[in-house]
Amino acid sequence: MENKRVIVAVVLSLAVLVGWNFLFPPQHPAPKPDQKQTAQTQSSPQQAKTAPAAKAEALSAFAPTPGKKVTVQTPLYTAVFNTSGAVLDRFELKNFHQTIDPQSPPVDLVGDGAGAKAPLGLLINGTPTWQNVDWAVEGGDLNLVPGASGTLVFTGRMGTTIIRRTLTFTGDGYLIEEKLSLSNTGAEPVKNRLAMTLAVNRLSSEGNSYNPTQAAFYDTSGLELYSSEKKLAEGIEDEKVVRWGAIMSNYFLVGAIPDTDGLHGKAKIENGIFRVAVEKDAGDIAVGGRADLTVNYFLGPKSPHYLGMAPQNLSAAIDYGWFDFVAKPLLKLLHFFYSYVGNYGVAIILLTVLIKAIFWPLSHKSYKSMEQMKKLQPLLSQLREKYKGDRQKMNEEMMQLYKTYKVNPAGGCLPMIVQIPVFFGLYQALLHSIELRHAAFITHLPFTNLIWLADLSAKDPFYITPLIMGATMFIQQKMTPAPGDPTQAKIMLLMPVVFTFMFLNFPSGLVVYWLVNNIISIAQQWWMLRKKS
């Protein structure tokens, strides 16, 4: 196979990989079973007697407080709960704003309209506990400082079942821990089928294929993502046993993490609101018995630091795809450079330079092989003409020619193939890095007051960088020996155009990376050609 055919294959592979990562996210290895279980269900009066702590609770001095609002303030967020079911009305992140303007409203992870769908709601045997159930609250507004914690207790009465939801908040993270107990005060056993629900408005702009709002479940096969709004409108059930469920974008996550096994997940979009539920059928609660369950909720940015505080491997929500093993160290290097320069655009450039320096010997070998192939083009053209009626003979003669001149026809592309994991590892790292959201590179177009690259997670508003990137690809192509096959030549001519259109709506941080990579490659080729002359 000729050198140019390999180049075409590599370039087409790059294009396919970009689309494939979005359309078909990779599967992850099955998680190890979690041995920890804290759910306790009393199935008989004898069990209740042997476990005094799990006896049914009496509901003394119960005073319902319908519709009351309770606010929790921490250095990281403001949460407003409705006492009718202990559901969220708002959850505002203090360190993240809706736009690049620091005076814009904070990000609300519940959003308009979602409060009516019961974020952090509880279904018991299919019945919404936030409707037609009397509730009371113990405690009032909380204002927590770093290192402090506080608790709210919501108590409800649904028939003969007493519901007690004890929510604990901390000033250092985005986790909310719930101790849930259901007590049977009636004369008959009651069913114990629970569903913890999430509901949020869209976490990213509608139609953003690079940053979609998705339903996510972590099940026996790893992370399962559902981004097709058509399918979500019909309703989705994850048939596998799940460990947690969430609604998330590239940058934010709202998740429910029950500390028990036997969970199943459901997801749906209703009137533009994304809904997820994780449910469990835990059998009956005996007369005088009680069922206990611990549930953790996470509402916050997809930061490895904060996700790492959550149980059940919530960190798996950050999905770098096939090149996870490359993306993580590259992201650490990016943060390292940022710690010195204070600008993520400059940090991306420095990281790109470092990567090119590491692969300089391979690139040098690639360009050298291309030059050797360029010298052989006249002889190869003669062979094509001489044996145009006998393709097998033509290939044999070409291989003999390569052997005679000690040229590897794939030598120019093998170094490129080796670099593909690095390219896409950094691509995924930049795409899913919360630090790049609203991170500025060059805030204004030079000599104007027009906002330009003020958000590396958004596309270039004037398409300047993708157009320059396309131009650099064209220059690279002109500096590379032309393929002898006319069909291959036409394909190569289209590549800059295809990639330019692909990059028009890319987050600008990714475009900066590819653009700088191309410029360095052009400089390297030019230096080699000049050195040769």
Side-chain angles (χ1 to χ4, degrees):
M1 181 184 296
E2 292 185 48
N3 187 39
K4 280 298 166 184
R5 292 180 178 175
V6 183
I7 293 178
V8 171
V10 170
V11 174
L12 291 176
S13 297
L14 289 173
V16 170
L17 278 171
V18 171
W20 189 269
N21 268 353
F22 285 107
L23 296 175
F24 305 101
Q27 301 298 316
H28 296 269
K32 295 180 181 179
D34 195 343
Q35 300 298 324
K36 183 180 178 182
Q37 299 179 18
T38 61
Q40 302 174 4
T41 303
Q42 302 307 117
S43 58
S44 68
Q46 289 75 17
Q47 285 179 310
K49 290 178 182 178
T50 58
K55 289 182 179 179
E57 297 183 26
L59 197 60
S60 59
F62 181 72
T65 54
K68 181 180 177 182
K69 302 296 175 67
V70 182
T71 301
V72 179
Q73 295 273 5
T74 81
L76 300 175
Y77 61 81
T78 299
V80 179
F81 286 86
N82 190 319
T83 56
S84 295
V87 297
L88 274 172
D89 276 0
R90 299 198 321 273
F91 197 94
E92 297 177 347
L93 303 179
K94 294 183 177 181
N95 296 328
F96 299 91
H97 296 269
Q98 293 180 13
T99 70
I100 59 175
D101 183 354
Q103 302 304 316
S104 65
V107 170
D108 179 5
L109 291 184
V110 175
D112 296 339
K117 300 294 184 181
L120 274 61
L122 180 67
L123 289 165
I124 300 178
N125 302 319
T127 300
T129 61
W130 57 91
Q131 297 175 356
N132 304 317
V133 175
D134 292 329
W135 285 90
V137 62
E138 299 175 26
D141 294 347
L142 298 175
N143 195 342
L144 304 177
V145 297
S149 64
T151 299
L152 294 175
V153 180
F154 299 89
T155 306
R157 179 176 56 198
M158 188 176 72
T160 62
T161 300
I162 297 174
I163 310 162
R164 190 173 180 87
R165 305 187 65 181
T166 303
L167 302 180
T168 300
F169 310 85
T170 67
D172 299 314
Y174 295 94
L175 271 180
I176 302 172
E177 183 188 71
E178 175 180 5
K179 297 292 185 182
L180 170 66
S181 70
L182 304 179
S183 298
N184 179 11
T185 63
E188 299 289 338
V190 296
K191 291 183 179 180
N192 179 23
R193 181 162 55 88
L194 300 175
M196 284 61 70
T197 70
L198 306 170
V200 305
N201 208 326
R202 195 179 301 276
L203 296 176
S204 54
S205 58
E206 187 173 3
N208 188 339
S209 59
Y210 301 106
N211 183 21
T213 301
Q214 303 171 300
F217 296 103
Y218 191 57
D219 59 29
T220 52
S221 61
L223 185 64
E224 297 283 349
L225 300 175
Y226 301 94
S227 56
S228 169
E229 296 197 11
K230 181 178 180 181
K231 290 184 179 179
L232 284 169
E234 298 170 355
I236 289 172
E237 291 190 34
D238 195 316
E239 297 180 355
K240 305 182 185 74
V241 175
V242 306
R243 298 173 69 181
W244 51 260
I247 303 163
M248 67 183 192
S249 64
N250 285 359
Y251 306 120
F252 301 106
L253 181 144
V254 176
I257 316 148
D259 192 3
T260 185
D261 59 1
L263 294 162
H264 292 276
K266 294 181 179 180
K268 195 170 186 179
I269 294 180
E270 295 179 349
N271 301 320
I273 304 301
F274 288 74
R275 305 188 70 186
V276 158
V278 285
E279 62 180 19
K280 176 183 176 69
D281 190 345
D284 293 347
I285 306 175
V287 176
R290 194 180 83 204
D292 296 331
L293 178 64
T294 298
V295 185
N296 282 281
Y297 295 97
F298 182 96
L299 300 95
K302 286 172 66 177
S303 160
H305 171 71
Y306 290 111
L307 291 176
M309 296 179 179
Q312 304 282 30
N313 196 22
L314 189 63
S315 297
I318 301 180
D319 179 22
Y320 295 122
W322 295 324
F323 305 113
D324 179 271
F325 67 100
V326 176
K328 289 180 179 177
L330 290 177
L331 200 53
K332 289 183 179 179
L333 281 172
L334 180 66
H335 297 332
F336 171 78
F337 285 126
Y338 175 78
S339 68
Y340 283 95
V341 298
N343 182 303
Y344 271 106
V346 176
I348 290 172
I349 292 173
L350 293 176
L351 182 58
T352 309
V353 171
L354 176 62
I355 292 172
K356 291 299 291 184
I358 292 172
F359 284 104
W360 185 277
L362 283 175
S363 300
H364 182 83
K365 183 178 180 181
S366 173
Y367 298 143
K368 185 177 179 180
S369 179
M370 289 180 183
E371 284 301 313
Q372 291 174 325
M373 286 294 298
K374 185 177 182 180
K375 294 178 180 178
L376 292 183
Q377 285 302 320
L379 296 176
L380 291 171
S381 297
Q382 293 177 13
L383 290 176
R384 289 192 194 95
E385 181 65 26
K386 183 177 181 179
Y387 298 106
K388 59 183 179 182
D390 189 346
R391 193 169 189 83
Q392 181 177 352
K393 182 64 175 176
M394 179 180 65
N395 289 334
E396 290 176 356
E397 291 296 325
M398 284 183 174
M399 293 306 297
Q400 184 60 44
L401 185 66
Y402 297 144
K403 187 176 180 180
T404 300
Y405 287 89
K406 298 179 180 180
V407 175
N408 181 357
C413 289
L414 288 177
M416 295 171 61
I417 294 173
V418 173
Q419 295 179 59
I420 286 178
V422 176
F423 291 157
F424 279 90
L426 184 57
Y427 168 87
Q428 289 290 345
L430 296 179
L431 192 65
H432 294 278
S433 176
I434 182 68
E435 291 81 5
L436 261 66
R437 181 184 183 271
H438 294 175
F441 177 25
I442 303 172
T443 55
H444 293 85
L445 200 62
F447 311 111
T448 76
N449 60 355
L450 298 174
I451 300 296
W452 189 29
L453 301 180
D455 181 0
L456 288 169
S457 70
K459 69 179 182 180
D460 183 333
F462 304 112
Y463 305 108
I464 295 172
T465 49
L467 290 174
I468 296 175
M469 189 279 303
T472 58
M473 284 193 69
F474 181 78
I475 293 171
Q476 277 186 289
Q477 186 185 101
K478 287 299 182 181
M479 295 177 70
T480 304
D485 190 322
T487 303
Q488 293 178 33
K490 291 179 181 178
I491 293 175
M492 294 301 294
L493 189 62
L494 283 174
M495 284 300 107
V497 178
V498 171
F499 270 72
T500 298
F501 275 100
M502 285 173 55
F503 276 67
L504 286 178
N505 293 310
F506 265 31
S508 56
L510 298 174
V511 182
V512 168
Y513 158 64
W514 285 85
L515 171 59
V516 173
N517 183 77
N518 285 355
I519 291 173
I520 297 174
S521 297
I522 290 171
Q524 186 178 9
Q525 279 185 274
W526 174 83
W527 177 79
M528 287 188 60
L529 291 172
R530 184 183 180 189
K531 183 179 178 182
K532 179 184 174 183
S533 61

